Amino acid sequence: EKETEYLSLLKFKDSIQSTMDSLAYQIWPDSIAGRWNSKTLCIESNCSDYVIGDQRVDIWVFDQDSTGLHARVLNNKNEIIRTYQANYSPNGIRLTFKTDSLSTRQAVMNVNLDQINSDKISGKRTITIDDKCTAVFNLELSRLNPKN
């Protein structure tokens, strides 16, 4: 009886550990987490909304919660413009955003940040609208203040 109870408790402990492992979420390394200034430059476009040479400056914030890693883009009034879902690996950062199905225009944004240093991150952002046109941007982030 005691052995059966003991084995049952071990199974219970293992199931709790397995659940806890699946609930654990990934966090950004300190070298990436926090706020960054961004400079975006359009380098290719067949969309009427984006012209080669268009530039934009925003603040990007790399953070996380129980749903995963995120990159939030803020305007100059500190308002959230967009929140990307993020994946981080030693090969770089991949960000994705897709408008919801009720939007009048369907936009898909993919960001590939493959040049990562302690004070600069760079890569490309591709925007596809209604599966009809695509714009490509160079994206350069520079450290604003760590963890702010």
Side-chain angles (χ1 to χ4, degrees), residues 110-132:
N110 291 298
V111 178
N112 179 19
L113 300 170
D114 54 3
Q115 303 294 315
I116 301 173
N117 298 304
S118 61
D119 62 345
K120 187 184 283 189
I121 299 175
S122 60
K124 300 234 183 285
R125 177 175 73 169
T126 304
I127 300 173
T128 304
I129 299 175
D130 293 331
D131 288 326
K132 295 179 182 174

Side-chain angles (χ1 to χ4, degrees), residues 6 9-10 15 35 52 57 62 75 91 97 100 102 115-116 119-120 125 129 134 148:
Y6 174 73
L9 287 171
L10 279 178
S15 72
R35 298 169 71 91
I52 294 172
V57 176
F62 291 90
N75 63 17
N91 298 328
F97 172 85
D100 64 48
L102 300 177
Q115 303 294 315
I116 301 173
D119 62 345
K120 187 184 283 189
R125 177 175 73 169
I129 299 175
T134 301
N148 284 346

Side-chain angles (χ1 to χ4, degrees), residues 7 16 37-38 44-45 56 75 87 99 105 133 138 148:
L7 292 173
I16 290 173
N37 283 318
S38 77
E44 296 176 35
S45 177
R56 183 175 193 106
N75 63 17
N87 287 306
T99 53
R105 293 175 27 166
C133 70
N138 279 338
N148 284 346

Side-chain angles (χ1 to χ4, degrees), residues 25 46 60 69 78 116 124 126:
Y25 58 88
N46 63 358
W60 287 50
L69 298 175
N78 218 30
I116 301 173
K124 300 234 183 285
T126 304

